[in-house]
Amino acid sequence: MKKYYTSNVVLVLSMLVIGMFSRTANAQVTVAGSAGSANGTYTTLKLAFDALNVVTQTQTGANIVVTITASTTETAAAVLNVPRIGSWTSLKIYPTVTGLSIIGDLAAPLIDLNGADNVTIDGRVNQAGAKDLVISNTSNSATAGTSTIRFINDATNNAVKYCILKGSGTSSTSTAVIYFSTTSLTTGNDNNTIDNNDITSSTDANRPVNGILSIGTAAKENNGLTISINNIYDYLNRGIVSSGIYLYSFTSACTVTGNSFYETTNFVPTSSVSLFAIYIINTSGINFTVSGNYIGGSAASCG
């Protein structure tokens, strides 16, 4: 009896350990507030987005919360599409504990808002306090679309704030840490806000060509972008023309204010190249507001 009892104790303990491990392994990302079957826990942000993309119930009026409870490694782009039926009122993404990261090494967007609207990515723990969540695409590919966060196909009314954003894409006109891209739909990627973030390179050896890039579509411009109070630092590529903010073709009515552009250590290019803090080519765009930005120094606000 004693031997039988001990074996059962071991069995029960083993089952408890396995159960605890299974719950932990599937709890990096939690979805709540969605209509349909998407609510639950996932090992990556991609899997959470995949679940939201296939929901067939209407999302009208839903306030969806996607919480990051442990760090994730993304092996493919986390693509969030337009809901199949209806539109959620809001979709918020934020960490619940400090020190978390969403990291991948992708010749593609790490996070891709593909027509998704009313999404807020907030890097503060439980949406309060200092910037905390790190989102980093370590790829130094020149493949078009390589980015940390991309907005494409009429992604509108979204916000990225209080995050630490890192990237290394190396094409001057098709990669960036944050990339406002083209559309195959009707309006462009409009009224999006990038506010109070740190935007920098994933490693000093692999620096991005652009911190923020916008290249829209003719007659469907990217309009109404607000880029404010960001620290854009250690962003210049030593051997390629590079920019902190590059507003290129088919981009209009953008506000660039209160941002800091700087290098934390002495910067020595490896070749003679043009380097820009803010670069606007307005041949196909109008009504830009650029004010109160800090260029230079080795810390924020020209420190």
Side-chain angles (χ1 to χ4, degrees):
M1 290 294 291
K2 186 175 180 180
K3 182 177 180 182
Y4 176 77
Y5 176 76
T6 303
S7 297
N8 275 276
V9 170
V10 172
L11 177 61
V12 170
L13 287 173
S14 297
M15 291 175 66
L16 285 173
V17 169
I18 292 171
M20 290 173 63
F21 176 78
S22 297
R23 285 193 294 273
T24 301
N26 289 282
Q28 283 93 326
V29 182
T30 300
V31 177
S34 169
S37 59
N39 296 330
T41 58
Y42 303 89
T43 56
T44 65
L45 187 62
K46 170 184 165 45
L47 292 177
F49 283 0
D50 287 349
L52 287 164
N53 290 338
V54 299
V55 170
T56 55
Q57 292 85 352
T58 181
Q59 298 287 353
T60 300
N63 290 291
I64 301 170
V65 176
V66 179
T67 50
I68 311 301
T69 57
S71 295
T72 75
T73 298
E74 308 292 328
T75 58
V79 181
L80 184 63
N81 298 329
V82 179
R84 290 190 174 194
I85 303 175
S87 299
W88 50 65
T89 298
S90 66
L91 191 152
K92 296 180 178 180
I93 304 168
Y94 58 86
T96 58
V97 295
T98 189
L100 300 186
S101 60
I102 300 170
I103 294 177
D105 182 0
L106 308 177
L110 182 67
I111 297 174
D112 203 15
L113 300 184
N114 181 28
D117 300 336
N118 303 315
V119 176
T120 298
I121 303 175
D122 189 333
R124 299 171 296 175
V125 175
N126 295 318
Q127 304 178 91
K131 63 191 73 161
D132 199 290
L133 179 66
V134 175
I135 307 176
S136 178
N137 187 352
T138 62
S139 173
N140 64 348
S141 172
T143 299
T146 299
S147 52
T148 303
I149 301 175
R150 183 175 71 171
F151 301 78
I152 192 169
N153 290 329
D154 294 7
T156 61
N157 297 318
N158 301 297
V160 180
K161 58 185 182 178
Y162 297 101
C163 294
I164 301 166
L165 306 167
K166 300 181 178 183
S168 293
T170 53
S171 168
S172 60
T173 57
S174 63
T175 73
V177 181
I178 298 176
Y179 182 18
F180 295 98
S181 187
T182 55
T183 184
S184 59
L185 301 176
T186 57
T187 66
N189 304 292
D190 299 337
N191 303 319
N192 295 296
T193 298
I194 309 299
D195 179 68
N196 268 292
N197 302 283
D198 287 350
I199 300 172
T200 188
S201 55
S202 58
T203 65
D204 187 66
N206 293 318
R207 287 177 166 230
V209 172
N210 300 297
I212 298 173
L213 170 66
S214 176
I215 298 182
T217 301
K220 305 170 185 178
E221 294 87 355
N222 296 333
N223 290 310
L225 307 180
T226 298
I227 304 170
S228 56
I229 323 178
N230 300 284
N231 296 325
I232 304 176
Y233 65 93
D234 296 347
Y235 64 94
L236 295 172
N237 189 291
R238 290 184 174 87
I240 307 173
V241 175
S242 57
S243 307
I245 297 173
Y246 187 8
L247 305 181
Y248 191 28
S249 57
F250 309 115
T251 300
S252 286
C254 299
T255 297
V256 180
T257 184
N259 303 283
S260 294
F261 303 83
Y262 57 94
E263 292 286 325
T264 59
T265 59
N266 290 340
F267 179 80
V268 180
T270 57
S271 61
S272 178
V273 294
S274 296
L275 306 172
F276 302 92
I278 303 167
Y279 188 19
I280 299 174
I281 297 179
N282 64 354
T283 55
S284 52
I286 58 173
N287 297 331
F288 296 95
T289 299
V290 181
S291 65
N293 298 285
Y294 300 86
I295 301 173
S298 59
S301 302
C302 290

